[in-house]
Amino acid sequence: MARRKWESWGRVFVIAVLCASFLSTTTNGGILSRIFRHRRVCVPPTPQPKPFLEMGATTRIADPKLVGAEIKVSFRLLPASCSSDIVAEAVRGSTVVREIWSGTVHGDTPTDFAWDGKDTAGKFVDTGDYRIRLRSSGGYPSPVEAPVSIVRLGITEIAAQDTSAGNNEYQMVYFMKGSSYAFFATPVIHEYLSKAETSQISDLDLDNGDPRPAPAVHTTTDSPALEGAAYEDDSYNYPLCYLMGVQPQLEVTFGSTATSASGVAMPVGYPVAGFEIRAETRAGTTTLSSSGVIAPGGKAIVSAPTLPNEVTRVDQSLECVWQYRATGAADWTNIPGSATIPQRYYTLIGEPLFKANASGTQYSGPWVEVADYWFQWRTKLGTPITTEAACVETHIKGFFGQNAGIATAIEGMKYDCGPLGGNGGSTWYLSADMGLSALLNNHDLGVYFNCSDNMGATTTMLSMMGVKNVRPVRLGSMDLRAIWGIGAPGYTLDLWGGGHGFSYHHIVTRDDAIHVIDSCMQLDEDGNPNATPGVPGWNNDREWSGPNGYESLSASNPVTKSLETLPGLQ
Amino acid sequence: MKSHVPCVAQYLLIVGWCCFNHATVVLGQVDPTAERLRPARTLYEADKWPRGPMRDGIPLGSLELEGWKGGPLRSNSGHLQRTFTAGDKAEKIVIEAFVGDSVEQAHQQLLSWLAGRQSTIPAPRAQDRELKIGDVAYLGLAGVGNQTIGSIAYVRGNVAVRIRNADPGSHPNIDLSTVARSLDEKIAAREALGDNAKPQAPTIEKLSPEKASVTAGEVVRLDVAVNDPQKGTPHLQWVVRGNGQGYVEPNQDNVWYLHTTGPGEISLALEVTGSTGTFASKETKISVLPRP
């Protein structure tokens, strides 16, 4: 009995040893592996977590048609020990719109790329909801997705507003309509308009789906934008006018219509459910203003960069960006890209002033050409215009010309006297009103004018630029000393070529003739005003009385003076 | 008796002085315009100017001058202007005209032109150079030596005309006297009116907007009907007054429309210059509301 028990246990032992050795030769390429090979199971030698894709910060709302726009995607593959071939796609519904990116990624290293918002054909995709899908080309790890909403943003109208300081924004006036005379004031409702032409599909885009470019600044100074014989009414960008040193406040209107790349109307795609969008204006990295939540076709007040504290002209851009946040959240996120609108501003020394009770478009504000003349003169003379006195000096030297690189008098005008080819000092441009439009239209009524015409131009130009209390002064007869008349090559003691006196004269004042302004002639300050040549004595706010005064230097007789009222404009 | 004569003479002198100043004194206040013209009135003996018969006007807008191309007519409340250029556009003449309701108004305009001369040398009369133009005419002599006729200003009845060479220094050879005579003949050929008759002004028979109240940005059709007494083509000019803003232009069918561009009250004035230079105006009102 005992012998049989030991023989049984011995057979079991041998079988166990044989099994152990058999197993050790089959687990790695042996019989067991051959038995289980068809199941393709990755069986690690030790237990580890499965690889997976983790989405990082990804743009949630975007408008790819903004300048510099892109949809940013960030992700990583985990765990660190894994690697995989990944494909990124833009998907709408069940349709792959575009394969955005592909590559081999290694675990725990962030991967960043961007989608330009275009489809496989290179066209901008329509507005709407999309998903960025990341998947492995081998099917593992599992795909992940992030939503992105494509919207269409932009500004179609800008209306300049007064600031909280009061009436400091002004319309500007043109005096021609092409080659005809007509007054036109920059529209109060929008000095900037970027809208579809009558036959076009949408305001924000061209008919091929490309973004509609912002209209260029209208730089012509005598005539507004025209479409054939009619005033342009769809697309213009007129200069704006403010008091110097002001930060412009602009009411912008957001576009509400867009066009797809296939040439059909498409919605602008916002508001996006669960999100709010607002607009900001910036100057470089500085935020100038932030709006409230915006809606298509809605309006907001934004700030532009502060204007120079001098009378000048400045070209600057309005840079607008947009941001989004989840409704109720605190923090805003930038929508990539921006819209930049070129702008031109003219600044004044004060509120434009005109003849009392005068009414008509010509009195709506400063004339563009006048303001631009001041900018040209200021640039040549090199002196900033920060005071009314500087305004007057700039006007006198610029209007008269023949100094500081300003070759001629305004519009090439000359005093109307025989030696210069003119008549007997007649009044050609000033009648019931000052014919400033004809003067500025390349001296349409002739190249000669007299001091009444000068006075008419000077009073109205200074006043419309904001210089206060400007009035004409009518002088009586004058036995003239040496004078340098406008457009003349030098001083003379024989103005008429057989006479040297005025039956009357017209000059200007801004303090009831205590000091006077004369743009028609300059006086001789070399100490001998009865002889030529002369040393230019500019008549900007010259004292009437005194040894160096206007009366003393201009005439050898006592001269009467009487104040008159500001002329009107035509 | 002898002692009364000086008193009477003094009395007459006082009365005469008062009458002389009547033209420049109204209710104790000096009329600045009349005062400004008084020296010229004396210098040019305006009170002795001939008073020709009243005419119905001057067709400046339709005037054709041989060798010259006329530009568009400009009218500032009936003060007319039109430029003419020669074929190469370097030569230019400017014609101004005014049709008065009386001979005195035309004389006043001529006097205003003469008073606007700063030269102490009076403008010579055209007849002193054997130029017979208008009832009375004066020359503006230009250029070195003052030998070129740079301008001619004259009146023919109730019509005042001034013609000038825009640049006599560069173009001294323009024959203004021929132009002036040609124009004067056209005026003289017009029908003479009775001494107390006024030239007929155009009439504005209809001026009304399609809507009296609109929102800024809206376009309003204007119903307009104008009658020219001489059955010619009147010149229409629009003036947008008030604190509202807009502009007027015709559409492709020549229907007038007001395009509103800023809120406020607009007094829209239609100024009509008739084909012979007479003038009329009329206003209508439109309220322009702010955009919501």
Side-chain angles (χ1 to χ4, degrees):
Chain A
M1 291 286 292
R3 183 179 173 190
R4 243 187 245 145
K5 187 189 272 182
W6 282 108
E7 286 176 347
S8 296
W9 279 109
R11 281 196 285 273
V12 170
F13 178 75
V14 168
I15 291 169
V17 169
L18 286 173
C19 283
S21 72
F22 178 72
L23 283 172
S24 70
T25 62
T26 61
T27 53
N28 294 309
I31 292 173
L32 278 180
S33 70
R34 288 193 292 272
I35 291 170
F36 295 106
R37 189 178 300 150
H38 69 280
R39 292 191 183 180
R40 295 189 183 276
V41 172
C42 172
V43 181
T46 57
Q48 294 200 16
K50 293 180 181 178
F52 63 97
L53 291 165
E54 181 183 78
M55 272 288 194
T58 299
T59 302
R60 178 64 182 84
I61 298 176
D63 177 0
K65 296 184 185 180
L66 293 177
V67 174
E70 55 186 10
I71 294 107
K72 295 179 181 176
V73 183
S74 178
F75 76 96
R76 63 177 179 169
L77 173 68
L78 293 171
S81 57
C82 286
S83 64
S84 185
D85 296 330
I86 302 298
V87 174
E89 299 166 324
V91 181
R92 187 173 193 185
S94 59
T95 304
V96 175
V97 173
R98 168 102 172 267
E99 180 180 302
I100 306 168
W101 178 92
S102 63
T104 302
V105 298
H106 303 284
D108 208 20
T109 302
T111 299
D112 301 308
F113 62 91
W115 176 36
D116 61 6
K118 294 180 179 177
D119 60 17
T120 308
K123 305 281 187 187
F124 286 113
V125 299
D126 291 357
T127 54
D129 293 327
Y130 294 76
R131 308 184 311 278
I132 304 297
R133 181 166 66 195
L134 305 174
R135 62 176 176 80
S136 166
S137 58
Y140 188 86
S142 301
V144 293
E145 293 183 342
V148 60
S149 297
I150 302 295
V151 299
R152 188 69 185 97
L153 301 165
I155 291 171
T156 53
E157 299 179 30
I158 299 175
Q161 309 287 306
D162 294 323
T163 71
S164 57
N167 180 26
N168 53 18
E169 182 269 328
Y170 318 105
Q171 305 318 113
M172 300 198 82
V173 174
Y174 297 92
F175 57 91
M176 302 293 293
K177 185 182 185 184
S179 60
S180 301
Y181 289 99
F183 291 111
F184 178 92
T186 54
V188 171
I189 52 177
H190 38 230
E191 291 92 344
Y192 172 93
L193 186 66
S194 177
K195 294 210 127 183
E197 297 281 343
T198 306
S199 59
Q200 292 181 327
I201 297 168
S202 78
D203 293 334
L204 289 172
D205 298 320
L206 302 175
D207 284 354
N208 64 358
D210 286 346
R212 183 180 298 282
V217 170
H218 185 71
T219 56
T220 303
T221 56
D222 58 353
S223 175
L226 299 179
E227 187 176 19
Y231 292 114
E232 173 61 67
D233 60 358
D234 298 309
S235 176
Y236 46 76
N237 187 356
Y238 289 121
L240 307 179
C241 184
Y242 275 88
L243 201 60
M244 64 184 195
V246 161
Q247 182 174 34
Q249 299 299 294
L250 310 173
E251 180 187 79
V252 299
T253 301
F254 300 103
S256 61
T257 56
T259 307
S260 75
S262 56
V264 298
M266 70 176 183
V268 292
Y270 75 99
V272 176
F275 289 89
E276 299 170 327
I277 296 177
R278 72 175 184 181
E280 280 197 342
T281 52
R282 293 182 184 169
T285 56
T286 303
T287 298
L288 300 177
S289 65
S290 303
S291 74
V293 176
I294 68 170
K299 300 179 192 294
I301 302 291
V302 301
S303 300
T306 299
L307 297 170
N309 198 24
E310 60 166 310
V311 177
T312 188
R313 183 189 87 189
V314 62
D315 292 327
Q316 58 188 34
S317 295
L318 182 70
E319 185 188 355
C320 190
V321 299
W322 284 263
Q323 297 176 317
Y324 69 89
R325 70 178 179 187
T327 305
D331 297 328
W332 294 88
T333 303
N334 288 335
I335 294 175
S338 64
T340 300
I341 297 172
Q343 294 188 307
R344 170 166 286 184
Y345 289 86
Y346 289 96
T347 52
L348 306 185
I349 195 77
E351 183 177 345
L353 299 167
F354 299 98
K355 175 183 177 182
N357 302 318
S359 185
T361 303
Q362 63 265 47
Y363 305 107
S364 298
W367 294 17
V368 177
E369 184 139 321
V370 171
D372 206 75
Y373 254 121
W374 281 53
F375 170 72
Q376 306 293 341
W377 295 336
R378 175 248 178 271
T379 303
K380 289 278 174 122
L381 293 166
T383 307
I385 307 173
T386 58
T387 62
E388 291 195 1
C391 286
V392 174
E393 182 176 0
T394 300
H395 178 90
I396 290 298
K397 291 182 176 176
F399 192 99
F400 190 89
Q402 295 185 265
N403 72 98
I406 305 169
T408 68
I410 191 171
E411 300 289 322
M413 300 299 291
K414 301 180 225 181
Y415 187 73
D416 187 35
C417 60
L420 296 183
N423 287 262
S426 291
T427 309
W428 301 113
Y429 286 88
L430 175 70
S431 55
D433 298 313
M434 175 60 200
L436 190 62
S437 54
L439 176 65
L440 296 177
N441 183 27
N442 195 29
H443 51 249
D444 194 28
L445 301 181
V447 75
Y448 296 97
F449 62 176
N450 76 349
C451 296
S452 294
D453 300 320
N454 270 263
M455 171 279 292
T458 295
T459 49
T460 53
M461 291 171 71
L462 283 172
S463 297
M464 73 169 68
M465 294 299 289
V467 179
K468 292 185 291 295
N469 201 34
V470 178
R471 296 178 66 179
V473 183
R474 186 179 176 94
L475 305 182
S477 62
M478 299 172 74
D479 297 326
L480 292 171
R481 300 193 193 274
I483 59 167
W484 179 19
I486 190 167
Y491 281 83
T492 184
L493 283 165
D494 185 15
L495 180 63
W496 307 114
H500 191 66
F502 282 149
S503 59
Y504 80 95
H505 189 32
H506 250 138
I507 54 177
V508 179
T509 184
R510 58 190 185 99
D511 63 1
D512 297 337
I514 297 172
H515 298 81
V516 295
I517 301 159
D518 190 348
S519 59
C520 193
M521 65 187 195
Q522 307 309 325
L523 306 180
D524 184 2
E525 282 188 343
D526 66 0
N528 187 4
N530 290 318
T532 60
V535 169
W538 298 103
N539 294 315
N540 48 294
D541 294 325
R542 178 184 291 279
E543 271 193 284
W544 173 257
S545 305
N548 219 32
Y550 186 92
E551 184 184 27
S552 172
L553 290 184
S554 65
S556 57
N557 63 301
V559 180
T560 61
K561 52 182 172 138
S562 61
L563 290 170
E564 297 180 331
T565 56
L566 194 61
L569 283 166
Q570 60 155 322
Chain B
M1 286 292 287
K2 189 176 178 181
S3 63
H4 287 146
V5 171
C7 292
V8 170
Q10 286 169 2
Y11 175 75
L12 288 173
L13 277 172
I14 293 168
V15 170
W17 183 85
C18 288
C19 292
F20 179 74
N21 282 283
H22 176 71
T24 63
V25 177
V26 178
L27 295 178
Q29 300 207 353
V30 175
D31 176 1
T33 301
E35 188 62 25
R36 180 173 60 83
L37 298 181
R38 189 150 61 92
R41 184 180 288 277
T42 303
L43 178 65
Y44 294 102
E45 298 185 306
D47 295 336
K48 295 181 182 176
W49 289 347
R51 301 174 66 86
M54 293 280 292
R55 305 285 177 182
D56 69 351
I58 172 176
L60 183 59
S62 59
L63 178 69
E64 290 184 358
L65 296 172
E66 189 178 343
W68 297 92
K69 181 181 173 187
L73 181 73
R74 292 193 77 190
S75 174
N76 183 25
S77 300
H79 293 264
L80 313 177
Q81 262 178 10
R82 196 164 172 222
T83 59
F84 291 78
T85 52
D88 62 359
K89 290 199 177 176
E91 295 181 331
K92 180 191 278 189
I93 60 175
V94 181
I95 300 179
E96 300 166 88
F98 172 72
V99 180
D101 284 339
S102 65
V103 171
E104 179 54 40
Q105 286 188 0
H107 284 192
Q108 185 95 336
Q109 177 61 71
L110 176 58
L111 206 53
S112 183
W113 286 330
L114 293 171
R117 287 171 53 89
Q118 288 187 274
S119 173
T120 51
I121 305 168
R125 288 176 67 139
Q127 69 184 49
D128 295 341
R129 288 206 168 194
E130 297 179 0
L131 293 171
K132 183 144 178 56
I133 302 170
D135 299 329
V136 62
Y138 290 88
L139 307 178
L141 298 178
V144 176
N146 298 315
Q147 295 302 309
T148 303
I149 297 178
S151 65
I152 303 176
Y154 65 93
V155 290
R156 170 69 73 179
N158 58 315
V159 182
V161 179
R162 182 167 69 165
I163 304 168
R164 73 179 283 212
N165 179 341
D167 191 357
S170 300
H171 305 286
N173 298 322
I174 294 176
D175 183 4
L176 285 187
S177 58
T178 299
V179 174
R181 265 198 293 266
S182 169
L183 189 51
D184 187 38
E185 287 166 7
K186 287 180 168 55
I187 300 170
R190 308 287 306 178
E191 180 186 353
L193 307 175
D195 283 347
N196 295 322
K198 291 183 183 179
Q200 268 191 295
T203 54
I204 302 171
E205 292 170 355
K206 187 191 283 187
L207 173 62
S208 63
E210 186 182 19
K211 287 190 280 188
S213 180
V214 296
T215 302
E218 277 191 69
V219 181
V220 189
R221 199 186 79 185
L222 301 170
D223 284 333
V224 179
V226 172
N227 178 55
D228 182 71
Q230 276 69 40
K231 308 300 178 200
T233 303
H235 173 263
L236 272 57
Q237 184 165 302
W238 296 93
V239 183
V240 178
R241 298 195 176 111
N243 56 9
Q245 191 193 62
Y247 61 87
V248 178
E249 64 180 4
N251 69 352
Q252 61 270 26
D253 298 322
N254 283 325
V255 176
W256 292 102
Y257 284 86
L258 168 67
H259 298 246
T260 60
T261 57
E265 297 298 311
I266 288 180
S267 289
L268 181 63
L270 173 61
E271 297 185 344
V272 177
T273 302
S275 60
T276 54
T278 51
F279 177 79
S281 69
K282 191 172 186 177
E283 279 193 6
T284 186
K285 295 199 185 300
I286 299 112
S287 291
V288 184
L289 303 173
R291 294 197 299 178

